[in-house]
Amino acid sequence: MYTIKTLNQIAQTGLRKLPEEEFCIDPDTSCPDGIILRSFDMHSMELNDNLLAVARAGAGTNNIPIAKCTAKGIPVFNTPGANANAVKELVLAGLLISSRRIIDGAAWVQTLEGNVEKAAENGKKQFLGPEIAGKTLGVIGLGAIGVLVANAALNLGMNVIGYDPFLTLESAWHLSASVDKADSMEELAAASDYITLHIPLNDKTRHTFDKNLFAVTKKGARLLNFARGGLVDNEALQRAIAAGIISRYVTDFPDSSLLSNPNIIVLPHLGASTPESEENCAEMAAVELREYLRYGNIRNSVNFPGCIVPYSGKPRVAISHSNIVNMIGQLGAVFTKHHINIDKMVNNSKGELAYNIIVCDNLPEDENQLIQDLYNIHSVLKVRILK
């Protein structure tokens, strides 16, 4: 029986993916085997010794101590694409409200008195805004969300430029051939009337939109950020707005420094706030956690390599270790020592980390000694026997 701790309210459709005869959902446990969360900040949380995996019901994982989990051999899963449609729809709304002054106009109407119809007709010109059809949208980041946004913008009559030096084959398959490819963010920013960000936040991408990128951005452009707040340097943004470089900024990430500027629209992080998205993310996270705990299979981990071996009914040993020379030979020697015949072995690596699933025809009587011998190998992080 595996005990699963939930750190946020998780949709029941997702939790039902964890059968009651194998998994116990206990939000109050202090020693979980697995954790499912959404936005809870885990950085100050102690990780219990028997914790095996963490699954984030969402794409971003900056609320999870990735390095600490990796050092303990704990894979961290996320759910890329599960909330993509919800975010795409909000980005499209962001395009419109950045242009048509819809929010300003609606708020103004609420202040009218007397002959409201006449007053609205006389005053509506102050909310004049351009159409998006025929304009150019620049999409920085062509993952699951970026591809959906780019294709939808084409369908709305926009010209679309995309930039992603790490474009995956899967994303390329789904991306319309009508999307032009920029060689750099600078080229994209200089040519776009609207720019939308769809990249992860990390040390390399923080303040992607800084004073240097604003300096080459097309004058009067509208910038949308429904990815992560830290991607934009807010001080440089304020200067770019004052200089007329950015005419409107729409973001889904509230910050007190953004609230006083009439050319900035701040939303309360609504990107994935749909029942469909919450259910999709919960289901995907639960299945990832279930498949890892049951079979050691890894799909959509941000710190571990993908590694999937279909279950054949035979026992398997899952081992994570540093990605260094001669580890396979050392592991094989231990299996030979215990007279274990290996039916199948899959080894994948990701940076400095490697992960193995070893399917066995037999296991020794003393399984604890097998585990101890594997841990005695330098750089082995985690050993699990799954039957």
Side-chain angles (χ1 to χ4, degrees):
M1 177 73 73
Y2 294 107
T3 301
I4 308 301
K5 185 180 183 70
T6 54
L7 296 178
N8 298 100
Q9 187 169 349
I10 305 298
Q12 286 299 312
T13 55
L15 297 181
R16 283 197 289 270
K17 297 291 184 180
L18 301 171
E20 292 182 359
E21 61 271 18
E22 298 176 69
F23 300 89
C24 172
I25 310 299
D26 184 359
D28 300 319
T29 182
S30 60
C31 293
D33 299 296
I35 291 175
I36 301 182
L37 75 161
R38 293 170 61 197
S39 58
F40 184 92
D41 189 345
M42 287 184 59
H43 285 280
S44 60
M45 181 178 172
E46 288 295 324
L47 303 180
N48 54 289
D49 291 338
N50 61 301
L51 181 63
L52 296 174
V54 176
R56 162 80 159 92
T61 55
N62 55 308
N63 57 320
I64 300 171
I66 304 296
K68 186 189 296 187
C69 289
T70 304
K72 287 179 169 287
I74 300 169
V76 176
F77 299 94
N78 69 343
T79 58
N83 62 1
N85 187 70
V87 178
K88 176 208 75 176
E89 290 185 359
L90 196 62
V91 172
L92 296 181
L95 281 171
L96 296 172
I97 64 177
S98 73
S99 272
R100 299 294 298 275
R101 302 183 68 86
I102 297 167
I103 290 180
D104 294 340
W108 174 74
V109 168
Q110 295 294 323
T111 69
L112 300 180
E113 298 177 351
N115 189 338
V116 173
E117 184 177 349
K118 182 177 180 180
E121 194 64 30
N122 290 338
K124 68 180 183 181
K125 289 185 179 180
Q126 64 184 301
F127 304 108
L128 186 70
E131 299 177 13
I132 63 173
K135 307 302 192 304
T136 297
L137 172 66
V139 182
I140 298 177
L142 294 168
I145 297 172
V147 167
L148 289 179
V149 170
N151 292 344
L154 287 171
N155 292 334
L156 291 173
M158 302 187 78
N159 304 309
V160 181
I161 304 172
Y163 173 76
D164 191 336
F166 307 107
L167 181 66
T168 66
L169 181 59
E170 183 176 358
S171 291
W173 284 340
H174 292 95
L175 185 66
S176 171
S178 297
V179 175
D180 293 329
K181 312 302 187 300
D183 292 327
S184 67
M185 284 189 287
E186 290 77 10
E187 177 187 336
L188 180 147
S192 299
D193 303 296
Y194 301 80
I195 302 168
T196 181
L197 297 169
H198 298 289
I199 54 179
L201 176 64
N202 53 47
D203 291 340
K204 293 182 179 180
T205 63
R206 188 174 301 278
H207 289 181
T208 288
F209 239 102
D210 59 7
K211 64 179 182 180
N212 296 320
L213 191 52
F214 280 121
V216 298
T217 298
K218 184 176 182 179
K219 192 174 181 65
R222 291 166 167 84
L223 178 62
L224 282 67
N225 181 8
F226 290 84
R228 281 292 180 267
L231 296 173
V232 176
D233 181 339
N234 287 341
E235 291 185 8
L237 168 71
Q238 296 279 8
R239 291 193 292 268
I241 292 175
I245 297 171
I246 297 297
S247 62
R248 189 63 66 94
Y249 177 56
V250 183
T251 181
D252 203 23
F253 304 97
D255 185 292
S256 59
S257 68
L258 303 176
L259 301 182
S260 59
N261 193 315
N263 292 311
I264 297 177
I265 298 173
V266 183
L267 303 178
H269 202 183
L270 298 176
S273 294
T274 69
E276 296 88 349
S277 174
E278 291 182 3
E279 290 180 359
N280 289 343
C281 289
E283 291 179 17
M284 190 170 175
V287 169
E288 291 166 351
L289 193 60
R290 183 190 71 200
E291 293 304 296
Y292 177 72
L293 294 178
R294 273 181 175 173
Y295 309 121
N297 289 332
I298 294 179
R299 186 192 299 274
N300 295 324
S301 173
V302 298
N303 60 336
F304 270 58
C307 189
I308 297 175
V309 178
Y311 182 62
S312 62
K314 294 183 178 182
R316 53 182 59 193
V317 183
I319 307 169
S320 57
H321 57 82
S322 298
N323 185 23
I324 57 178
V325 173
N326 197 35
M327 284 301 297
I328 300 301
Q330 293 183 74
L331 295 175
V334 172
F335 280 76
T336 298
K337 172 186 174 181
H338 287 272
H339 306 289
I340 299 171
N341 188 53
I342 296 176
D343 176 66
K344 181 178 292 186
M345 179 177 184
V346 176
N347 171 273
N348 287 332
S349 62
K350 187 172 188 176
E352 297 179 353
L353 186 71
Y355 181 74
N356 304 267
I357 295 178
I358 303 170
V359 180
C360 308
D361 285 331
N362 61 292
L363 289 176
E365 291 185 6
D366 192 349
E367 295 179 6
N368 290 331
Q369 187 59 54
L370 168 64
I371 293 172
Q372 186 58 55
D373 286 346
L374 289 169
Y375 273 122
N376 286 339
I377 299 174
H378 180 65
S379 297
V380 166
L381 299 174
K382 183 83 75 176
V383 178
R384 299 175 64 214
I385 294 179
L386 302 166
K387 296 186 275 188

